[in-house]
Amino acid sequence: MLDAALKTQLQGYLDHVKIPFEIVASLDNSANSDEMRELLEQIAGMTDKITLRTDGVDTRTPSFTLRRTGTAEPQSLRFAAIPLGHEFTSLVLALLWTGGHPPKVEPAQIDAVKALDVDLDFEIYMSLTCHNCPDVVQALSLMSIVNPRIRTTVIDGGLFQSEVEARDIMAVPAVWLNGQPFASGRMSLEEIVAKLDTGAAARDAKKLDAEAPYDMLIIGGGPAGAAAAVYAARKGIRTGVAAERFGGQVNDTLGIENYISVSMTDGPKFAAALEGHVKDYKVDIHNLQRADKLIPAAEPGGLVEVQLANGAKLKGKTVILSTGARWRNVGVPGEAEYKNKGVAYCPHCDGPLFKGKPVAVIGGGNSGVEAAIDLAGIVKHVTLIEFGAELRADAVLVSKLQSLPNVTIITNAQTTEFTGTNGKLDGLNYSDRVSGESKRVDVEGCFVQIGLVPNTEWLRGTLELSKHGEIVVDAKGATSLPGVFAAGDVTTVPFKQIVIAAGDGAKAALGAFDYLMRQPALKAA
Ligand SMILES: Cc1cc2nc3c(=O)[nH]c(=O)nc-3n(C[C@H](O)[C@H](O)[C@H](O)COP(=O)(O)OP(=O)(O)OC[C@H]3O[C@@H](n4cnc5c(N)ncnc54)[C@H](O)[C@@H]3O)c2cc1C
């Protein structure tokens, strides 16, 4: 089950278990139960602090719960899963935290979880190949270990397929709370707590409104915003970052192999490193804050204001916009209706949910062709739909795709509608751009891979945007508004890459600092 390397790794971690606990497994005669038993026996065999019992009677088999020895605590954390693959780290952390090893989480966040004075029963559906799932699994696991009123059950959708089908779950991670859908997609501990604590937004707004103006206010916390923050802070000026989700797109990236000097890393690690680097300096980070409106300075050299979704206004002598980009939608009827009900955007996350089923991929660029190759190994059949006359991906990828027996490639096809029955996707219609005929593909899943769209809707009418909605910048990152700079994927700078966004953030911060130095002192900052 665990190879020699994993065993050694795990043995090292388990030395940190201080408080004895039991693993109570509920098993049956299935092969999956045998697999779980083998894994748990291996774990229990590594330390005398962990005892394995196999007399659990939970209705979900196989599953296991972790319970401190000698306590009458009800089950708080259960894995209805064999947590290997991307979830191996979640398993290790659950063992360590249950064994009394302190989590590496801000004390304020732990206090916020402890303060949740209500019974919460979470069920999280994940897949072992989903790189977005571990963050949510780990956040909810920690919550249930820290607060006895919180229960978390981690469920592998591939193992409990009938449950997934009964609940119409077609995208992971999917979180249910007290038997009702609660959230889907990647969420941090901070985001989950904020969603549960309804008074938090108003409290935040009051605090943010009272913030003194920043010398440099950065909106967006991806590679561009993070680099801008480090460069600004190193100039010794008052720097603040407001971001909807610190880390940006790299949070959704699997492997990163082209950030110079880092041969190989993964997205979540890279995002944590970005935040860690910014925190090395005196920078105010306002995470989970969405900017809604940019209010230009009333006079030349005056303060620029940014209104947040919670109503608060942050002020800056200079502002750097680095709000990046997001997946582009096809924009046809049925897309919103069947999103997470068959229409998906992350093949790594949701591919396993379509095991043995027919799916489509829309988009014949590198990401679409990579997705189709990846999915062909899991699903019954992949239909790749490309708008143009030929695929735009690298030749090596195209020839690999063409070699696969369960792939059909359709070019010159314009998707016109997603359709469904009983609330689930059952296919898509497209127009043949050569013959003009209307055609159809019956699929249960469709992965949209047609590029990105800049996050600039909130800026329309305030500064110059290109016809693609990107912020127009000059060589120093200056926008059409005095004192407002921009960097990264949100701008007209070509080639949307991490290293380019980071360099661009640094450049915009230096450009903004140059501007700042040339301003007469503000009268009433
Ligand atoms: C799946 C995937 C894989 C990728 N793989 C690679 C790769 O391997 N190598 C590579 O170099 N590049 C890769 N990229 C591209 C790379 O991630 C981007 O080029 C880079 O993240 C852009 O950085 P950014 O800071 O400009 O924007 P983003 O990373 O998009 O960050 C934008 C920030 O702004 C915030 N934000 C957005 N709107 C608002 C608002 N209204 N108010 C407040 N905050 C807001 C976001 O929450 C986020 O913090 C990949 C992208 C994707 C999607």
Side-chain angles (χ1 to χ4, degrees):
M1 165 90 354
L2 295 174
D3 62 25
L6 271 187
K7 264 194 201 159
T8 316
Q9 209 184 344
L10 187 56
Q11 181 75 65
Y13 288 129
L14 292 182
D15 290 344
H16 297 286
V17 171
K18 300 285 175 270
I19 303 172
F21 64 90
E22 286 177 338
I23 298 177
V24 184
S26 302
L27 304 170
D28 54 22
N29 295 323
S30 64
N32 288 328
S33 283
D34 289 346
E35 215 181 308
M36 182 177 284
R37 186 195 307 269
E38 193 186 336
L39 172 67
L40 299 179
E41 280 173 352
Q42 283 187 340
I43 292 170
M46 286 182 192
T47 167
D48 57 6
K49 295 274 190 317
I50 302 177
T51 316
L52 174 63
R53 279 175 37 196
T54 53
D55 57 352
V57 290
D58 196 76
T59 47
R60 281 195 186 97
T61 55
S63 68
F64 64 92
T65 181
L66 308 172
R67 187 188 315 189
R68 287 192 182 155
T69 313
T71 62
E73 278 174 20
Q75 167 247 317
S76 58
L77 173 60
R78 175 175 295 278
F79 283 91
I82 301 164
L84 297 175
H86 280 304
E87 293 302 339
F88 183 64
T89 311
S90 306
L91 170 65
V92 173
L93 290 173
L95 295 169
L96 288 178
W97 294 335
T98 307
H101 191 68
K104 280 192 191 146
V105 173
E106 303 270 340
Q109 284 190 38
I110 298 284
D111 291 345
V113 173
K114 284 185 177 159
L116 291 168
D117 191 17
V118 57
D119 292 321
L120 301 169
D121 187 355
F122 287 106
E123 291 163 297
I124 164 159
Y125 294 88
M126 55 77 178
S127 73
L128 298 182
T129 51
C130 159
H131 60 284
N132 285 325
C133 295
D135 276 3
V136 193
V137 168
Q138 288 159 26
L140 292 173
S141 300
L142 182 60
M143 287 173 72
S144 65
I145 290 167
V146 165
N147 184 333
R149 297 192 66 177
I150 301 175
R151 275 166 66 106
T152 294
T153 307
V154 180
I155 303 156
D156 177 357
L159 214 55
F160 290 86
Q161 219 152 6
S162 55
E163 192 171 325
V164 160
E165 273 164 24
R167 284 188 161 174
D168 279 351
I169 291 164
M170 301 180 94
V172 287
V175 181
W176 284 52
L177 173 59
N178 300 334
Q180 297 298 320
F182 172 72
S184 61
R186 182 184 233 134
M187 283 183 101
S188 63
L189 177 63
E190 206 180 352
E191 285 167 295
I192 296 169
V193 174
K195 196 168 159 112
L196 291 165
D197 181 359
T198 47
R203 287 200 302 277
D204 272 4
K206 215 168 155 198
K207 214 170 94 200
L208 291 170
D209 239 359
E211 285 287 358
Y214 289 102
D215 292 315
M216 211 174 283
L217 171 63
I218 297 154
I219 307 298
V230 168
Y231 268 71
R234 285 170 63 85
K235 295 287 183 195
I237 59 176
R238 184 169 150 72
T239 306
V241 180
E244 202 170 357
R245 183 168 67 135
F246 206 96
Q249 289 168 66
V250 293
N251 282 308
D252 303 323
T253 306
L254 203 53
I256 300 170
E257 299 180 3
N258 57 359
Y259 193 80
I260 308 313
S261 84
V262 181
S263 314
M264 169 69 203
T265 185
D266 64 46
K269 247 191 228 161
F270 192 87
L274 282 180
E275 192 167 351
H277 197 173
V278 173
K279 282 183 172 168
D280 286 344
Y281 296 92
K282 200 170 174 316
V283 174
D284 286 354
I285 299 182
H286 306 294
N287 199 12
L288 311 185
Q289 299 298 339
R290 197 182 76 240
D292 262 0
K293 197 172 169 191
L294 180 73
I295 305 161
E299 56 192 6
L303 291 173
V304 179
E305 291 185 338
V306 175
Q307 185 169 314
L308 303 175
N310 63 15
K313 280 185 193 149
L314 289 171
K315 297 160 274 297
K317 294 178 191 170
T318 58
V319 167
I320 294 183
L321 304 169
S322 53
T323 48
R326 61 179 189 278
W327 299 113
R328 184 182 291 280
N329 293 332
V330 190
V332 296
E335 185 173 21
E337 192 179 345
Y338 297 110
K339 186 174 177 187
N340 295 338
K341 297 285 172 206
V343 176
Y345 299 82
C346 177
H348 300 298
C349 312
D350 303 332
L353 299 180
F354 297 92
K355 195 172 164 186
K357 296 176 176 171
V359 305
V361 171
I362 299 182
N366 276 343
S367 53
V369 172
E370 276 176 25
I373 295 169
D374 190 8
L375 288 164
I378 310 169
V379 304
K380 184 176 174 193
H381 188 271
V382 182
T383 306
L384 185 125
I385 305 217
E386 161 60 30
F387 181 84
E390 47 195 54
L391 303 184
R392 291 162 291 113
D394 297 344
V396 58
L397 291 173
V398 173
S399 76
K400 167 86 183 163
L401 184 73
Q402 286 165 339
S403 73
L404 298 172
N406 60 339
V407 172
T408 306
I409 300 168
I410 303 176
T411 53
N412 276 319
Q414 178 167 13
T415 307
T416 51
E417 187 182 10
F418 291 102
T419 62
T421 37
N422 299 328
K424 285 191 203 174
L425 185 79
D426 65 6
L428 61 88
N429 297 329
Y430 68 92
S431 155
D432 182 324
R433 295 177 59 237
V434 178
S435 67
E437 265 177 88
S438 193
K439 298 187 174 170
R440 174 172 178 78
V441 187
D442 291 325
V443 286
E444 292 184 42
C446 179
F447 290 83
V448 177
Q449 301 283 297
I450 53 170
L452 297 164
V453 62
N455 294 318
T456 50
E457 290 81 355
W458 65 288
L459 295 166
R460 276 187 200 142
T462 49
L463 43 63
E464 188 186 352
L465 300 177
S466 72
K467 65 177 183 201
H468 302 297
E470 297 161 327
I471 303 172
V472 177
V473 285
D474 71 9
K476 286 186 177 176
T479 70
S480 60
L481 270 184
V484 179
F485 292 73
D489 279 16
V490 75
T491 69
T492 44
V493 169
F495 310 121
K496 312 305 189 198
Q497 288 287 288
I498 302 168
V499 72
I500 293 173
D504 217 33
K507 188 176 63 181
L510 294 176
F513 185 70
D514 190 48
Y515 168 90
L516 203 55
M517 281 194 306
R518 289 162 205 280
Q519 297 307 306
L522 279 175
K523 273 181 243 132

